[in-house]
Amino acid sequence: EVPRAVLFDDEMAEKIISFIIEHEMVDTLLVHCYAGQSRSRAVGAFAVKMSGGDNSRYYKGTIPNQYVYDVLEAAWFRITLDFKEVSK
């Protein structure tokens, strides 16, 4: 257990996705978290995948936090679905 750590949620996921979108033109995003382990790795893996890249390197060695990755993926799905609905 990490002091002051909070459970990752949809609001955090949406903020991260917005940040990635706003900075899509940069070559590198620095991702870190309080403990600096599996959550940040999950965000990095998701950012690469969201941008159309191959995130397999994030799964070598330490495994990304699957819960965080799943929350990000679900939020991205909702956002893209909402965008498609608005675009009709």
Side-chain angles (χ1 to χ4, degrees):
E1 192 169 311
V2 177
R4 297 184 305 204
V6 296
L7 185 61
F8 192 79
D9 62 19
D10 290 334
E11 183 180 345
M12 292 176 188
E14 290 170 8
K15 287 179 181 179
I16 288 169
I17 290 167
S18 292
F19 183 86
I20 294 168
I21 291 168
E22 290 170 17
H23 297 87
E24 65 186 347
M25 300 307 286
V26 300
D27 292 329
T28 304
L29 288 176
L30 174 62
V31 178
H32 64 91
C33 66
Y34 185 69
Q37 296 193 19
S38 67
R39 289 175 295 167
S40 53
R41 195 168 190 85
V43 172
F46 174 79
V48 169
K49 189 71 169 185
M50 181 183 150
S51 302
D54 175 15
N55 67 359
S56 61
R57 68 186 171 134
Y58 287 87
Y59 291 89
K60 294 177 182 168
T62 305
I63 303 296
N65 183 308
Q66 192 63 50
Y67 171 77
V68 170
Y69 191 93
D70 290 346
V71 172
L72 284 161
E73 200 169 52
W76 179 237
F77 179 75
R78 280 191 312 277
I79 290 167
T80 56
L81 187 62
D82 289 345
F83 178 76
K84 288 177 184 177
E85 291 295 318
V86 169
S87 298
K88 285 185 179 180

